[in-house]
Amino acid sequence: MFITNFSQDTGFQFLLFVNYSKDKNLLMGNKINEFFYFILFTPFYFKFVREMEDIRYERKELAYEDLSATFKLADRDFNKQYAGIYAVRLLKFQTLLEARVEIKWGKQYEIKKLVDLVPHEKVLVFGIIYKQQELKPSILREVSDEHQLLPLPPKTKYISGNDLLILEDELQRILLVGNINAGDFVTGVVVALLGHEDDSGKFIVEEVCPANMPIMMTPEKHHIDTTRYIAFISGIDLGSGKDSLLLIQEMMFMLMGKTGTPQIQEMMSKVSRLIIAGNSLSSLTQDRDILDKAKYLVRNNMAASIEAVQQLDDIVFQLASSMTVDLMPGAHDPANFVLPQQPLHHCLLPQSSELSTFHAVSNPYSCRIGGRLVMGNSGQPVLDILKNSTLEHPLDAMEKCLEWRHICPTAPDTLGCYPYIHDDPFIFPTCPDIYFAGNQEAFGDRIWKTAEGYPVRLVSLPRFSESGTIVIVDADTTECFTLCFGAEEDSFVDH
């Protein structure tokens, strides 16, 4: 695939874009018309175009491997209880925690089941955290609706000072007190605890040991001969009515190499892959009451939803004509609601599906690009952790996911997921090099290190419809910068 500097047509489009982003009035006013007349109808312009037509940049692909097979559902049987996924989660983590506590404490303390605890005996126990929350939504809210009582108002956080932590294993549960903060945990986390039971039947926690990420015996050395980038975007929100189509077009032209200086075009030619991390459609295209209404009442809603999907197909088709595109579903997209979300059906995107450079992928998503293990989700697990803990920043919640070694620990308690009975695919099988989460309030990135010091690049992706920002990550160094559209002038920001 090639990116060519602008011909006469694309050169004209580029000049229009620069003027629009600065003046917000396209070809209005004598001064602007005089400016374009000078540029377009003088020998300077034609000389400029001839010089640019001779420059060509080749977009090279990075080696790629899709590792998301574990998130693909072969059987969709929902006639199961959710106890199965907790049982298999606890069973798998017992082996992981045994290895971790041996590194931390050796054979100094005995590992016991909760039923075998002896008061005042210092031991290690394994179990799943259950967080008792007064403000957590429950079936009682639906009952209050049925009886026409005033329902509880929605909250941004479901935590309070009265929350309690309880540890559960296969046979018993016990209340946790001591050196453990309820605000730092959510339901579903599996941990090892060092402490003892007191006379009242409570477990006094002295130290907490999470599973952490897998031990990297010989970390792979990553080096790419020439700089190659991976681009990330989330929250395009088509159909939101925010009129962000101009920003989307600017973003498309920039990534496709149709705008910008030769230096910027050369940089964009090094973007080998684009990952769209969910919420390509707006929540306004969804109406849960649409099935209960007469068709003539919802005709406009349905038309808006169909139009948004068609717009998405057009956008992805143009992008995939220039680079490889991976499209993940999100909470507002036409895919199954519970995790793991399956790839968008090819019938929704007929044009894009014809291209070999387009890949509809799952959420969560895992792949290897240029030797780097890239993992991430469309943001639901991170947002749910923030709602049910005292953590404030998405990067803090992402750190906790890695520390707990689970992509979405709150599923299935407060986050919907498939009722697995023989597996828990959300346990990290290995340590990623890049871990991203889409549809967050703002951009953020940091390096988090495992217990053994292996670095992981955390990237919080902002909603494009609100920020006009995409994130570019260097596949070799994992350093990243943002590309912002819609400001006075489009800008690159290093981080």
Side-chain angles (χ1 to χ4, degrees):
M1 286 178 275
F2 294 91
I3 301 176
T4 308
N5 257 311
F6 19 84
S7 61
Q8 293 183 13
D9 291 334
T10 55
F12 181 70
Q13 292 173 350
F14 165 63
L15 292 172
L16 290 181
F17 258 103
V18 171
N19 183 62
Y20 187 94
S21 64
K22 291 181 179 179
D23 296 289
K24 308 299 181 186
N25 292 299
L26 190 60
L27 290 178
M28 294 180 65
N30 293 331
K31 291 184 179 180
I32 298 175
N33 281 323
E34 290 173 4
F35 169 76
F36 274 93
Y37 180 86
F38 173 76
I39 293 295
L40 297 179
F41 300 104
T42 61
F44 167 79
Y45 167 72
F46 295 106
K47 179 182 179 182
F48 175 74
V49 168
R50 283 194 299 270
E51 291 176 353
M52 292 299 100
E53 284 181 332
D54 295 334
I55 304 175
R56 295 171 67 87
Y57 301 110
E58 181 178 359
R59 192 191 300 278
K60 293 184 179 179
E61 295 292 326
L62 287 172
Y64 168 79
E65 181 183 4
D66 187 0
L67 303 175
S68 299
T70 184
F71 301 123
K72 305 294 176 59
L73 295 176
D75 178 26
R76 304 192 184 192
D77 180 14
F78 287 88
N79 297 318
K80 304 172 185 174
Q81 295 294 322
Y82 280 104
I85 191 171
Y86 283 121
V88 72
R89 184 181 302 180
L90 179 59
L91 181 63
K92 286 194 169 188
F93 267 101
Q94 282 179 344
T95 304
L96 303 177
L97 289 171
E98 285 173 1
R100 184 60 62 184
V101 299
E102 186 172 352
I103 294 173
K104 189 175 183 66
W105 291 296
K107 302 291 185 180
Q108 185 178 357
Y109 303 106
E110 183 181 0
I111 300 173
K112 282 195 170 185
K113 300 290 185 183
L114 295 181
V115 71
D116 299 324
L117 289 178
V118 177
H120 306 292
E121 181 186 11
K122 193 172 183 179
V123 294
L124 285 165
V125 293
F126 300 162
I128 300 178
I129 294 286
Y130 171 73
K131 188 171 183 178
Q132 186 171 303
Q133 300 168 251
E134 293 181 351
L135 302 180
K136 185 170 66 175
S138 69
I139 190 64
L140 295 178
R141 184 172 183 175
E142 297 182 16
V143 173
S144 68
D145 290 341
E146 291 178 4
H147 291 279
Q148 298 181 351
L149 300 177
L150 184 65
L152 294 173
K155 297 179 179 293
T156 56
K157 292 267 190 182
Y158 297 110
I159 57 173
S160 71
N162 298 323
D163 294 344
L164 301 174
L165 294 183
I166 297 170
L167 189 72
E168 296 184 357
D169 65 6
E170 302 94 331
L171 301 173
Q172 193 171 315
R173 55 173 18 199
I174 191 170
L175 181 64
L176 302 178
V177 295
N179 187 28
I180 187 168
N181 183 11
D184 293 338
F185 289 88
V186 293
T187 296
V189 178
V190 186
V191 293
L193 301 177
L194 176 66
H196 64 274
E197 184 184 16
D198 65 7
D199 293 328
S200 64
K202 301 175 183 176
F203 192 82
I204 311 298
V205 178
E206 297 182 15
E207 197 166 349
V208 180
C209 179
N212 213 287
M213 294 306 290
I215 300 171
M216 307 293 289
M217 302 303 295
T218 54
E220 297 181 20
K221 299 295 183 181
H222 301 278
H223 179 69
I224 300 174
D225 293 337
T226 57
T227 302
R228 290 288 177 264
Y229 298 116
I230 307 168
F232 294 87
I233 184 174
S234 70
I236 298 176
D237 285 341
L238 294 171
S240 64
K242 294 181 180 178
D243 197 23
S244 59
L245 292 180
L246 178 63
L247 295 182
I248 295 171
Q249 192 172 30
E250 283 189 76
M251 175 271 296
M252 290 168 55
F253 280 13
M254 183 69 76
L255 288 176
M256 295 167 65
K258 291 186 176 181
T259 65
T261 63
Q263 291 78 14
I264 292 177
Q265 289 189 338
E266 182 181 10
M267 179 181 292
M268 292 299 101
S269 72
K270 297 176 181 178
V271 176
S272 65
R273 202 172 200 93
L274 171 65
I275 296 178
I276 304 176
N279 285 5
S280 299
L281 269 60
S282 167
S283 60
L284 297 180
T285 61
Q286 296 179 326
D287 187 351
R288 296 186 178 182
D289 299 327
I290 197 169
L291 298 178
D292 300 328
K293 297 179 181 178
K295 288 187 177 180
Y296 73 91
L297 294 175
V298 298
R299 188 174 300 152
N300 292 336
N301 299 55
M302 296 177 67
S305 177
I306 293 171
E307 182 182 358
V309 173
Q310 291 173 342
Q311 287 178 347
L312 176 61
D313 190 23
D314 292 337
I315 291 168
V316 174
F317 176 76
Q318 293 182 62
L319 289 169
S321 299
S322 176
M323 69 185 70
T324 305
V325 177
D326 296 335
L327 177 62
M328 300 169 57
H332 304 153
D333 295 323
N336 58 299
F337 178 75
V338 299
L339 297 179
Q341 288 185 289
Q342 300 304 286
L344 295 180
H345 198 279
H346 62 87
C347 290
L348 295 170
L349 307 165
Q351 296 182 92
S352 305
S353 298
E354 294 294 323
L355 301 177
S356 61
T357 50
F358 168 70
H359 304 279
V361 298
S362 64
N363 171 38
Y365 179 42
S366 176
C367 62
R368 194 176 297 277
I369 304 175
R372 290 289 187 185
L373 183 58
V374 180
M375 298 183 70
N377 56 73
S378 296
Q380 299 100 312
V382 172
L383 295 175
D384 199 58
I385 290 173
L386 294 177
K387 284 182 181 180
N388 292 282
S389 70
T390 55
L391 302 174
E392 296 292 341
H393 199 281
L395 293 177
D396 296 332
M398 295 169 70
E399 280 191 2
K400 287 295 184 181
C401 287
L402 295 174
E403 186 178 306
W404 296 329
R405 198 171 170 176
H406 204 278
I407 296 172
C408 49
T410 57
D413 181 53
T414 54
L415 185 65
C417 79
Y418 181 77
Y420 293 94
I421 57 174
H422 301 298
D423 189 24
D424 184 355
F426 304 115
I427 300 174
F428 283 97
T430 186
C431 185
D433 296 293
I434 301 169
Y435 184 50
F436 67 90
N439 301 290
Q440 304 303 310
E441 291 293 334
F443 166 77
D445 82 295
R446 72 173 62 148
I447 290 290
W448 177 84
K449 293 187 177 181
T450 66
E452 287 71 38
Y454 188 78
V456 180
R457 172 71 65 177
L458 307 181
V459 184
S460 167
L461 306 177
R463 288 186 283 271
F464 182 81
S465 62
E466 297 178 0
S467 65
T469 300
I470 65 174
V471 180
I472 311 292
V473 179
D474 190 318
D476 185 23
T477 64
T478 75
E479 293 180 356
C480 59
F481 60 89
T482 57
L483 179 56
C484 304
F485 301 89
E488 271 299 304
E489 296 184 7
D490 300 338
S491 60
F492 292 91
V493 182
D494 291 318
H495 297 273

